[in-house]
Amino acid sequence: MSTQSAPQFPAAAVPDRLFDDAAAESRWRARFHASRISVPDWAIDAPDANIYVSNASGVWEVYAWDRATGEHRRVTDRPNGTMHAVPSPDGQWIWWFNDTDGDEFGSWVREPFAGGAEAAPAIPDVHDGYPAGLEIGDSVIAVGVSTDDGSKLFTHAEGETKLFYSSEDDAGIASMSRDERLLVISHSEHGDSRHPALRVLKTGDFAVVADKWDGEGKGLSALEFSPVRGDARLLVLHERRGREELLIWDVEADTETEISLDLPGEVAAGWYPQADALLVAHFHQGRSSLYRYDLATGSLSSLDTPPGRIGGAGVRPDGTVEYGWSNAARPPAIRVRAADGTDTVLLEPPGDQAPGSSPMTDAFVDGAGGQIHALISRPSDAPEGPLPTVFSLHGGPHAADEDRFSAYRALWLDAGFAVVEVNYRGSTGYGSAWRDAIEGRPGLTELEDVAAVHDWAVQSGLADAAKCVVNGASWGGYLSLLALGTQPERWAAGIAGVPVADYVAAYEDEMEQLRSFDRALFGGSPETVPAVYKECSPITYVDAVTAPVLVLAGDNDPRCPIRQIENYLSRLAARDASFEFYRYDAGHGSLVIAETIKQTSIEVGFALRALGLR
């Protein structure tokens, strides 16, 4: 362990308040403080035993909900919060992942659903690591662990733990059959963790039942086995026709049925309880919707959810569908849709609901790689003419901005900024070619799309060219720093949360799962393709940065480690460049609401000062 003190960089200013108007100040804070909850997850054999995560205590933690009694109980209580938990099939236990201060490195523990006992190690003889999948059965448990040495997969049955798979490549537990005879793992033995293959094993002797790989550039994702005992059908996502679609693979018969849906965009799905239908989640142009697909007739029927974002969904034993929903103007709600079409609110979190915000519109901009979809938000009370504009770049990169409620976006609007969210190449939901177009040249490819949308925003009269801010966290933070160095003429300020700043150093320090991802994305490691890492690393262009920069980073971040960020900031400091740094005691973001509010106020306050608006 190093005893050297951390470098001292100019500290970010923490505003006491962002608005002189008390009502405006109260409104933006209320959006963050408002309680939110996730869609409940229930025990398959005891559907009254439910768990969810909520920020009701001021920190995101795990809660238990006994539907039979109506009792809600907070399960976890940790300084930096808890997000990952699973109920056992019988509803007697809650498993949750126990890491240290948000570093994502730890092990699974369990405690009784009813409470009354401290959490204890769930499988004591499985070593700590980063989680790589978990399947809990009545008699068989499968758990995956990733470390710097690669991936190890274990089963635990009849009191004995067995290591059944080990690889230097990325691998994980994907799904286990309802009767616990079959286990499917995801692996990248072919050398590309971004497009994984599947292998089905017997849980008794780990004999291979079947393998499936669609070839180079075509990944397979196991969604889940049928919920019916003895049914060996596995629901899988494939991309054989250039986008993610569904197939059902009978792994014992080794037969498959592709499901062709007449829907644009991409889909995911889960089973109805009797395995006679699928609940299909459809994603298209930043919005999502739900459908029921009848396997016997092949008919697809819409559940008529309103336009917006579906934040998780599941089918109860009685056929009702529970789902999370929001759009840019309306805060999240957990809703339930009965078989007769009646749609009501299922759970109301305690306290006042978050104040609403402004709706968003769409822009479609021609770019070098095709049409770029951007989501545009404008303050409802904005004057005519160009506005200060934040280009908010999502993380991932394999993710997408959506028409969803965001307290963060709403604050920027309250502060007088337009907000532009770009689903650049690399984003999901627009087909495999769009998602994979960044391979071999990550970062720079995405920024070509950001530049095209920036040009459109200025030319259309939305954005003031002299007051544009580039902003993002994680991959979005990486893109923000890269934009400041490669497009300095476009940006009046830049904000980067938990970014990759020095890619070679980041590769050395990050979790192995991300090294595997980076090798697939860049075409190799920094040793094998050094020129690509240099060309695509923000630190290469640090001397070209002219705009003020704000960087926020967590001490315990395994994804974008702190050392490589300090390398970048030291280069800024050597130039006497204008920058501020905020360092916090957590990992890749914070689950503590007070900390989130603090960081958000730092960001918006910094932008207002950098643009001369305060």
Side-chain angles (χ1 to χ4, degrees), residues 395-425:
H398 297 343
D401 281 316
E402 300 175 275
D403 184 0
R404 65 176 182 88
F405 188 79
S406 167
Y408 181 78
R409 182 199 310 115
L411 173 56
W412 284 105
L413 297 176
D414 287 354
F417 290 81
V419 179
V420 176
E421 299 172 59
V422 184
N423 282 334
Y424 47 72
R425 277 172 288 173

Side-chain angles (χ1 to χ4, degrees), residues 545-579:
V545 174
T546 57
V549 186
L550 169 66
V551 176
L552 306 93
D555 273 326
N556 306 311
D557 190 345
R559 298 175 182 269
C560 299
I562 194 72
R563 179 176 70 94
Q564 52 93 25
I565 293 172
E566 292 174 342
N567 292 347
Y568 183 90
L569 297 177
S570 294
R571 290 282 298 275
L572 286 178
R575 295 178 47 225
D576 290 326
S578 176
F579 74 98

Side-chain angles (χ1 to χ4, degrees), residues 185-309:
I185 68 170
S186 174
H187 68 84
S188 53
E189 294 171 5
H190 53 285
D192 182 359
S193 69
R194 297 177 61 249
H195 302 95
L198 301 176
R199 177 169 299 146
V200 182
L201 307 167
K202 293 181 180 179
T203 57
D205 59 6
F206 309 113
V208 176
V209 176
D211 275 295
K212 190 176 289 293
W213 181 46
D214 279 350
E216 185 177 349
K218 297 179 180 179
L220 293 166
S221 299
L223 298 177
E224 57 183 0
F225 271 106
S226 161
V228 175
R229 295 182 188 276
D231 188 346
R233 291 178 298 165
L234 178 68
L235 186 59
V236 176
L237 274 181
H238 71 90
E239 46 185 316
R240 297 168 181 174
R241 287 179 290 276
R243 60 175 182 154
E244 290 190 329
E245 298 178 277
L246 300 168
L247 66 82
I248 294 177
W249 179 23
D250 187 324
V251 301
E252 289 186 314
D254 200 17
T255 59
E256 63 176 45
T257 303
E258 291 188 11
I259 297 173
S260 181
L261 303 175
D262 187 20
L263 295 171
E266 297 184 335
V267 297
W271 297 92
Y272 270 71
Q274 302 304 315
D276 57 347
L278 302 177
L279 178 64
V280 177
H282 171 230
F283 309 95
H284 182 55
Q285 294 181 349
R287 278 103 185 160
S288 44
S289 51
L290 294 176
Y291 292 82
R292 185 184 190 276
Y293 179 78
D294 188 283
L295 291 170
T297 65
S299 61
L300 184 70
S301 53
S302 173
L303 298 190
D304 296 327
T305 53
R309 176 181 184 265

Side-chain angles (χ1 to χ4, degrees), residues 4-221:
Q4 185 175 357
S5 60
Q8 296 299 306
F9 299 117
V14 184
D16 292 331
R17 57 191 301 123
L18 292 173
F19 301 100
D20 294 331
D21 179 68
E25 183 71 14
S26 176
R27 183 172 59 250
W28 83 262
R29 292 177 180 272
R31 291 196 192 98
F32 283 92
H33 281 299
S35 296
R36 287 164 284 163
I37 55 179
S38 67
V39 177
D41 183 16
W42 53 86
I44 191 168
D45 291 326
D48 281 340
N50 289 236
I51 63 171
Y52 58 86
V53 293
S54 174
N55 67 337
S57 69
V59 181
W60 283 96
E61 297 286 7
V62 179
Y63 287 73
W65 175 27
D66 187 332
R67 293 200 191 209
T69 65
E71 178 187 4
H72 294 256
R73 177 180 71 86
R74 189 170 78 183
V75 176
T76 55
D77 184 7
R78 304 196 303 152
N80 286 299
T82 314
M83 284 295 286
H84 302 294
V86 183
S88 62
D90 60 8
Q92 296 299 304
W93 297 92
I94 297 173
W95 291 51
W96 52 270
F97 193 76
N98 184 28
D99 67 350
T100 302
D101 295 329
D103 66 359
E104 303 180 49
F105 193 93
S107 61
W108 290 96
V109 298
R110 70 172 194 169
E111 61 182 90
F113 180 86
E118 294 293 322
I123 311 178
D125 44 358
V126 171
H127 61 80
D128 285 1
Y130 300 108
L134 173 69
E135 288 289 310
I136 307 171
D138 294 319
S139 58
V140 179
I141 296 161
V143 60
V145 179
S146 173
T147 67
D148 286 347
D149 297 324
S151 304
K152 293 185 177 181
L153 310 182
F154 301 83
T155 60
H156 181 81
E158 299 180 344
E160 183 180 6
T161 300
K162 296 180 180 178
L163 171 66
F164 70 89
Y165 182 89
S166 179
S167 175
E168 294 181 356
D169 298 307
D170 192 32
I173 302 293
S175 185
M176 185 163 63
S177 63
R178 186 75 170 90
D179 57 15
E180 303 171 32
R181 293 184 303 110
L182 303 170
L183 183 67
V184 59
I185 68 170
S186 174
H187 68 84
S188 53
E189 294 171 5
H190 53 285
D192 182 359
S193 69
R194 297 177 61 249
H195 302 95
L198 301 176
R199 177 169 299 146
V200 182
L201 307 167
K202 293 181 180 179
T203 57
D205 59 6
F206 309 113
V208 176
V209 176
D211 275 295
K212 190 176 289 293
W213 181 46
D214 279 350
E216 185 177 349
K218 297 179 180 179
L220 293 166
S221 299

